[in-house]
Amino acid sequence: MTRPAPVRPARRWRRLPRLRRPAWTATLTWKAAVFITVMCCALAALLGALVHVSVTRQTVDQARENALSKLEAVTDAYEAGESADGSGAVDPPGLPPGLRELALSGQRGTMVSDVGGRPTMWAAGPADGRALAVRIDYTLSAQTISGLDRAIVGSSALAIGATLLAGAFSVTRVTRRLHLTAQVARRISAGDLDARVNDPRTGDPSRGEDEVAAVSGALDTMAATLQGKLLSEQRFTADVAHELRTPLTGLSAAAELLPPGRPAELVRDRVRRMRALTEDLLEISRLDAGRETVDLDVHELAPLAERVVRMAGTSGSETDLTVVRDTRVETDKRRLERVLGNLISNAHKHGARPVVVSVDGPAVSVRDHGPGYPRYLLEHGPQRFRTESGGTGHGLGLTIAVGQAAVLGRSCSSPTRPAAGRSPG
């Protein structure tokens, strides 16, 4: 058996602004991780380059000094007519051309080149119009520099990884507290006034109160103050409504004893309005308390809407009913009838005929042909006891409709355009 869909009255009193998607939707944790990684890489590259240049220069200078010392010894032996020890030669093969030209010009110099696949440090100087050169093996020095580069890269990677983990851990602790604060703020905005952050750092001098704790403490204080004010308002509304019921009952009985006539009708009409207002205040106080429970049952939606339309028609206001597609819904009959009745009554009081109630599957819409809802109502929702243009409403009808829809787990929506000078019923 297919489970019937819950009913969803199709009217909304608050238009939420569309949120623009940010250009970069990364969380603070990822932003901090990227920032830490970039800074660590930049710092490691800078330090690595400095160490590489310094060590390379030191190694090359030492090899150049050894080569020049050896060249000086070979030059002294050559000038003394002694035989070379095999490490020096005149115009040896493999001597770099640039170094040969430097020696032929009467200067000494050094240069590193590749000889037989092995790096070699050359030193050359002038000798009887030719180039006297010596060479030493530069392989060990080159391997030292290569090993240093690998060590720099490895240690930089380890340092970046360790710093990133430590930074991510620290940032995550902060962002976790920020996420908790944001969640509590959303719960409070949704009506859960008992929600609190309870940050352990708040008011704890031994741990030190940071900025996140200050924000959490401010949010908790704001929630407690708001809760106190709302509870005070709710108690006041409930107390006023309860206190008015007893004298209104006596006043209603007394009005029925008045002799027939225009004054008696005016008194009875005012008493009925006062009783309706008192009942609305009591219902709002119960909705504010948040202890309402629904009595769910399966109903045919079209007959239920027809009954509400028929009851609304007894007051002299005609309402058209259109059934596009009927369905069975699981809902609280009394609350749904209250929502539809208030919407129809509001349409007749502040809209224009014809007023049409449409049933299309689980969606019910109430439409009039007036100028639309006021701008403040679309932006902020129905507000109690706020009327415009001398309207007779108290702003309680739509407030109750929205509250009962919320108890049913649904929301009211409105596609109408805002219009100035309209007062909600």
Side-chain angles (χ1 to χ4, degrees), residues 235-245 278 281-282:
R235 284 194 298 267
F236 175 77
T237 303
D239 291 344
V240 168
H242 279 290
E243 292 297 329
L244 286 176
R245 292 188 77 178
T278 303
L281 288 175
L282 284 173

Side-chain angles (χ1 to χ4, degrees), residues 286-356:
R286 289 193 295 268
L287 291 172
D288 287 341
R291 300 185 181 92
E292 294 286 276
T293 57
V294 293
D295 182 15
L296 295 178
D297 200 358
V298 178
H299 301 277
E300 295 285 346
L301 187 55
L304 193 151
E306 182 180 0
R307 180 173 179 273
V308 177
V309 170
R310 187 169 58 251
M311 292 176 60
T314 58
S315 60
S317 301
E318 295 297 330
T319 305
D320 298 330
L321 175 64
T322 302
V323 179
V324 179
R325 178 170 55 92
D326 192 12
T327 187
R328 293 166 60 86
V329 296
E330 184 181 32
T331 186
D332 189 321
K333 179 181 178 181
R334 181 187 68 83
R335 298 184 189 279
L336 179 57
E337 289 179 348
R338 179 66 160 158
V339 172
L340 292 179
N342 283 13
L343 296 181
I344 294 173
S345 175
N346 180 80
H348 282 292
K349 286 182 180 179
H350 308 288
R353 297 184 181 182
V355 176
V356 181

Side-chain angles (χ1 to χ4, degrees), residues 397-412:
L398 296 185
T399 302
I400 293 175
V402 172
Q404 293 290 10
V407 173
L408 291 174
R410 292 295 179 263
S411 61
C412 295

Side-chain angles (χ1 to χ4, degrees), residues 5-318:
V7 68
R8 180 180 60 189
R11 261 197 151 170
R12 174 173 63 98
W13 319 115
R14 179 174 299 180
R15 179 172 293 173
L16 298 177
R18 293 186 61 185
L19 298 178
R20 294 183 178 180
R21 185 177 181 181
W24 187 27
T25 57
T27 62
L28 180 60
T29 303
W30 284 109
K31 291 179 181 178
V34 171
F35 176 77
I36 293 174
T37 303
V38 171
M39 293 303 297
C40 287
C41 290
L43 182 61
L46 177 61
L47 293 178
L50 292 176
V51 172
H52 172 81
V53 171
S54 177
V55 174
T56 300
R57 181 180 299 172
Q58 182 179 358
T59 304
V60 171
D61 289 344
Q62 184 177 0
R64 181 182 291 112
E65 184 179 352
N66 293 336
L68 290 175
S69 298
K70 193 171 184 179
L71 175 63
E72 185 175 357
V74 171
T75 301
D76 292 342
Y78 177 81
E79 292 176 351
E82 299 176 359
S83 59
D85 58 1
S87 60
V90 177
D91 293 331
L95 181 65
L99 187 58
R100 183 188 301 275
E101 293 177 0
L102 184 65
L104 294 178
S105 64
Q107 301 180 25
R108 290 184 177 185
T110 58
M111 184 176 294
V112 177
S113 66
D114 189 74
V115 178
R118 298 174 64 87
T120 301
M121 172 67 76
W122 291 91
D128 297 334
R130 293 184 297 175
L132 178 62
V134 296
R135 64 181 184 180
I136 61 175
D137 191 4
Y138 192 69
T139 303
L140 183 59
S141 299
Q143 290 177 352
T144 300
I145 295 175
S146 299
L148 176 64
D149 292 341
R150 289 192 296 270
I152 290 176
V153 173
S155 59
S156 298
L158 291 177
I160 291 173
T163 305
L164 184 60
L165 290 177
F169 175 74
S170 301
V171 172
T172 301
R173 294 184 63 185
V174 175
T175 55
R176 187 182 298 116
R177 295 163 61 198
L178 289 175
H179 282 308
L180 176 60
T181 304
Q183 290 175 1
V184 171
R186 285 191 289 267
R187 288 173 56 190
I188 293 173
S189 64
D192 184 7
L193 299 181
D194 293 323
R196 297 291 185 274
V197 180
N198 294 324
D199 195 312
R201 290 182 179 269
T202 304
D204 188 356
S206 62
R207 304 186 64 177
E209 181 175 311
D210 55 12
E211 288 78 3
V212 179
V215 173
S216 302
L219 179 63
D220 288 347
T221 303
M222 180 199 70
T225 304
L226 179 62
Q227 184 179 32
K229 291 183 178 181
L230 289 180
L231 291 178
S232 177
E233 178 185 343
Q234 292 170 10
R235 284 194 298 267
F236 175 77
T237 303
D239 291 344
V240 168
H242 279 290
E243 292 297 329
L244 286 176
R245 292 188 77 178
T246 301
L248 279 176
T249 301
L251 184 60
S252 178
E256 296 297 330
L257 299 177
L258 293 175
R262 181 60 179 168
E265 290 297 326
L266 290 176
V267 171
R268 293 190 187 100
D269 179 67
R270 294 300 182 267
V271 170
R272 283 193 295 269
R273 290 194 178 188
M274 285 292 295
R275 293 192 66 173
L277 176 60
T278 303
E279 294 300 326
D280 287 345
L281 288 175
L282 284 173
E283 186 166 0
I284 286 179
S285 67
R286 289 193 295 268
L287 291 172
D288 287 341
R291 300 185 181 92
E292 294 286 276
T293 57
V294 293
D295 182 15
L296 295 178
D297 200 358
V298 178
H299 301 277
E300 295 285 346
L301 187 55
L304 193 151
E306 182 180 0
R307 180 173 179 273
V308 177
V309 170
R310 187 169 58 251
M311 292 176 60
T314 58
S315 60
S317 301
E318 295 297 330

